[in-house]
Amino acid sequence: DGDFVCTCDAAGATGTATGAAASCKVDECHADLALAGTCAGAGQVCVEPGTADGDAYCQCPPPMGAQTKVGGAVARCEWDECADHGETCTRMQQACEDADRGTMGTWVCKCVHPQEPKDASAADGQQAPAECKNKPGDCDKHGYVCSGTVPVQLCGDGAAAWDDRVVCKCPAPYGGAAGDHAAAVCTLDECNDACAWCDRTGANGNGACAAAAQTCEEGSVAVERDWRCVCAGPYSGSAAMAVATCEVDECAAVCAHCADTGSGNVCAGAGQGCVDPAADRAQRGNWYCECAAPHTLKGARRPAEAALC
């Protein structure tokens, strides 16, 4: 006795017991067509987890979050699709955004700084890269502030990029404080600073003027290529950006090779006149004395000394 077996025979029920009534469990996902249909209609899966009545639930399909609702209600399923598709955007330096994580196929690519939409009508990229262009930089928009100068200055961003301000800087070899959204005041002392066209072409040593015992004079530190070599007294003469040809009237001046070396004029001391050919005042030691009337020159002319009259 007692070896009888009870078996559940209700539709969709399972369970057996020996010598006693069976505990029957109904697979609610199969027996309750309304519940199964509710889950399936939402694209979800009906799950029967155990033996309790009313414990079946709808479950989100992968990869959506496994949020569930017991009792047949449709689950609220969410998934950030950017986790799967974000690389499509980031490889184009764009941002992925999934604003509706409860609906699949809603992720977009968006332009991010320093990019902006290609034009006013350009929309976010729907499951694809957006149409973006590089945002114009400050110098693209305001570079004219620096370029309309002599010399043309260098344009740079202001305190921050894309703040609609620029900084103008002096190009080498010019010096000067940078201009804040304004042209800088650039200066170059071409007699003392070194540059390819300055008196001093290198950082060390004297310039060409000093090497020729001449003086370098700068016209204006704000004007390029206006320096000159100027002859030292008693010589006269200057040349733009070059060593000057220096001239002196050796009859009128006092110098080591003049008629007057500082201790009296040789010609005047002999009662004679002095002549320094005007056509060749750059030549040294070519002056001569000439006899005063009624005296006449006796013999050959004697350059740089009194005549024999």
Side-chain angles (χ1 to χ4, degrees):
D1 292 339
D3 59 352
F4 63 90
V5 177
C6 292
T7 301
C8 300
D9 61 359
T14 59
T16 60
T18 301
S23 176
C24 299
K25 169 59 182 172
V26 176
D27 185 344
E28 295 170 290
C29 288
H30 290 85
D32 189 342
L33 298 181
L35 171 61
T38 297
C39 296
Q44 301 174 16
V45 179
C46 183
V47 176
E48 174 60 271
T51 59
D53 291 338
D55 62 350
Y57 58 83
C58 296
Q59 180 172 283
C60 302
M64 304 185 82
Q67 299 184 31
T68 60
K69 295 289 185 180
V70 177
V74 174
R76 169 63 181 175
C77 301
E78 291 188 350
W79 178 250
D80 184 355
E81 295 180 280
C82 288
D84 293 331
H85 305 290
E87 186 180 359
T88 299
C89 306
T90 56
R91 63 183 173 84
M92 300 298 292
Q93 290 77 53
Q94 299 176 16
C96 181
E97 183 178 288
D98 187 0
D100 183 3
R101 298 186 181 186
T103 304
M104 300 297 283
T106 58
W107 63 276
V108 298
C109 291
K110 301 176 73 71
C111 303
V112 295
H113 183 79
Q115 293 183 329
E116 61 183 7
K118 185 178 180 180
D119 52 51
S121 63
D124 295 333
Q126 303 297 314
Q127 293 83 62
E131 291 188 351
C132 305
K133 65 179 181 181
N134 286 329
K135 183 178 179 180
D138 294 331
C139 287
D140 293 323
K141 294 190 289 184
H142 305 294
Y144 64 88
V145 175
C146 306
S147 62
T149 59
V150 178
V152 174
Q153 299 175 14
L154 307 177
C155 181
D157 287 326
W162 290 280
D163 65 351
D164 273 340
R165 296 189 68 81
V166 295
V167 170
C168 297
K169 300 178 181 179
C170 299
Y174 286 84
D180 182 9
H181 209 65
V185 178
C186 300
T187 60
L188 177 64
D189 185 343
E190 296 173 302
C191 286
N192 295 300
D193 296 335
C195 72
W197 65 85
C198 291
D199 178 35
R200 291 175 54 212
T201 57
N204 300 313
N206 293 324
C209 297
Q214 299 177 15
T215 302
C216 180
E217 291 187 358
E218 169 69 284
S220 169
V221 293
V223 177
E224 186 177 293
R225 303 173 193 270
D226 65 341
W227 62 274
R228 305 177 67 83
C229 284
V230 179
C231 300
Y235 303 97
S236 62
S238 66
M241 298 179 61
V243 173
T245 298
C246 299
E247 298 183 347
V248 64
D249 183 346
E250 295 178 295
C251 289
V254 177
C255 68
H257 53 79
C258 293
D260 189 345
T261 59
S263 58
N265 190 292
V266 173
C267 298
Q272 300 175 7
C274 182
V275 177
D276 186 3
D280 197 6
R281 291 286 172 84
Q283 184 176 334
R284 305 293 183 260
N286 66 332
W287 59 273
Y288 60 89
C289 295
E290 63 178 1
C291 300
H295 303 285
T296 58
L297 181 65
K298 181 180 180 181
R301 179 180 295 160
R302 303 170 63 185
E305 58 181 285
L308 292 176
C309 300

